[in-house]
Amino acid sequence: MNRKILIAIGIIFAIIAIVVILRSPEDSWICQNGQWVKHGNPSSPMPTSGCGTSQSTQEPDIIVTSPQSNQIITSPLSIEGKAKGSWYFEAVAPVRLLDDKGNVLASGQIQTQGDWMTSDYVPFKAELTFSYNATTSGTLLFHNDNPSGLPENDKEFNVSVQLVPIQTLNVNAYFNNNNLDPQISCNKVFPVQRQIAKTQTVAMAAVSELLKGPSDAEKSQGYYTNINPGVKIQKMTIENGVAKADFDETLETAVGGSCRVSAIRVQITETLKQFPTVQSVIISINGRTEDILQP
């Protein structure tokens, strides 16, 4: 009798186990498209843990907001974004622009716009100037500044971009050069060719190139400027052969001596008179033409 009872109990437990096994997949919560969905009639409440999401998502070290991925870019290129403080060293980090063959078109540094001695994100900006002759894809390559020099500490981030050629033209900016003028005349200036993006305001663009001063390569050839750094041109008009160029007060700040004043006037005048539509030049400062650039 006892044996029959034990056999019956065993059969009952086996049936219960089979039912549980068969029912369990139908009575549970299933993760679908990021949401918990009932499958059958589960007896347990909906899970509170995340569905389809990683609980250990790591923030990126650097986020570039401009340019966007696959954006068409032109020169000069403005770059903006933010990076963790550890990405920088002495508030900067390197950035390069490569073409589709890996050739470096431009290189520079991103510069923080705040205190970089933090573990939080710090905004950055940069500007790259470059030239290219054909439509191609490119890569903006960001590197962390790694003062340790250890390869295991190197990090990089890249943004794919599209390079489309822009039309350019050549203009001259006029500078002094003692090698070409051994007598060091005050009123002798010499042209340096600059390539700029094609524009309808070419005279304004030429003066802007003049205000940048000579490049390092041009300086090595003896070119120099008598114009103060940081001068801004505020307005330019050309009518009836007369170019009127208005500058801010920086043009005459701490300027003394008849030779320097003469050189400044000649640099501006000759830069504008390269254009056939300009026969004479009137220089003004904040609208004033009298009592400016006095020796």
Side-chain angles (χ1 to χ4, degrees):
M1 183 67 178
N2 290 338
R3 184 177 178 183
K4 291 182 179 180
I5 293 174
L6 291 174
I7 292 173
I9 292 173
I11 293 172
I12 292 172
F13 275 109
I15 293 172
I16 293 173
I18 292 171
V19 170
V20 170
I21 292 172
L22 292 175
R23 285 177 57 86
S24 57
E26 299 297 324
D27 298 320
S28 61
W29 292 93
I30 297 177
C31 180
Q32 291 183 349
N33 300 322
Q35 293 183 331
W36 289 111
V37 178
K38 280 185 178 182
H39 198 254
N41 187 27
S43 58
S44 60
M46 184 179 71
T48 57
S49 61
C51 169
T53 59
S54 172
Q55 301 302 304
S56 59
T57 301
Q58 187 175 2
E59 291 182 321
D61 290 313
I62 182 170
I63 298 173
V64 180
T65 55
S66 180
Q68 297 289 314
S69 180
N70 290 316
Q71 179 178 324
I72 295 174
I73 63 171
T74 56
S75 179
L77 171 64
S78 295
I79 302 169
E80 294 186 16
K82 61 182 181 179
K84 296 290 186 67
S86 58
W87 190 268
Y88 311 97
F89 182 69
E90 299 296 343
V92 297
V95 58
R96 294 184 296 165
L97 177 63
L98 312 179
D99 66 12
D100 59 341
K101 296 179 177 61
N103 300 313
V104 178
L105 299 178
S107 60
Q109 293 180 319
I110 56 174
Q111 175 73 53
T112 61
Q113 304 299 298
D115 183 10
W116 68 281
M117 299 289 287
T118 175
S119 59
D120 295 331
Y121 284 113
V122 183
F124 65 76
K125 289 185 178 181
E127 184 174 281
L128 295 180
T129 302
F130 55 95
S131 61
Y132 49 94
N133 299 317
T135 300
T136 182
S137 59
T139 302
L140 201 56
L141 187 60
F142 297 83
H143 277 280
N144 67 320
D145 200 320
N146 177 16
S148 71
L150 299 175
E152 58 266 30
N153 293 333
D154 282 339
K155 297 179 182 179
E156 67 177 40
F157 179 80
N158 62 72
V159 176
S160 297
V161 292
Q162 299 297 319
L163 306 172
V164 177
I166 57 175
Q167 291 182 306
T168 61
L169 55 85
N170 294 325
V171 296
N172 291 326
Y174 282 76
F175 299 106
N176 299 94
N177 189 317
N178 291 344
N179 295 335
L180 302 177
D181 177 28
Q183 288 77 31
I184 312 180
S185 308
C186 300
N187 56 359
K188 279 192 176 181
V189 289
F190 304 90
V192 169
Q193 192 174 84
R194 298 281 175 84
Q195 187 178 74
I196 63 171
K198 192 172 183 180
T199 175
Q200 293 185 345
T201 56
V202 63
M204 175 80 85
V207 173
S208 296
E209 290 298 315
L210 172 67
L211 298 180
K212 291 178 182 178
S215 66
D216 290 340
E218 292 160 356
K219 288 177 182 177
S220 69
Q221 298 173 35
Y223 292 98
Y224 66 94
T225 183
N226 280 283
I227 299 174
N228 286 330
V231 175
K232 293 181 174 59
I233 182 167
Q234 303 180 127
K235 186 178 180 181
M236 169 77 67
T237 61
I238 301 176
E239 294 181 2
N240 301 320
V242 179
K244 296 180 180 180
D246 186 61
F247 299 86
D248 69 357
E249 63 279 359
T250 312
L251 183 65
E252 62 177 355
T253 300
V255 171
S258 59
C259 186
R260 185 178 180 190
V261 167
S262 176
I264 292 172
R265 286 186 175 275
V266 171
Q267 281 189 255
I268 296 171
T269 299
E270 292 304 311
T271 296
L272 286 170
K273 288 179 72 174
Q274 70 182 289
F275 304 109
T277 55
V278 177
Q279 280 78 53
S280 62
V281 177
I282 297 176
I283 299 171
S284 62
I285 296 176
N286 292 331
R288 296 168 27 242
T289 57
E290 302 294 331
D291 300 324
I292 65 169
L293 294 174
Q294 295 298 310

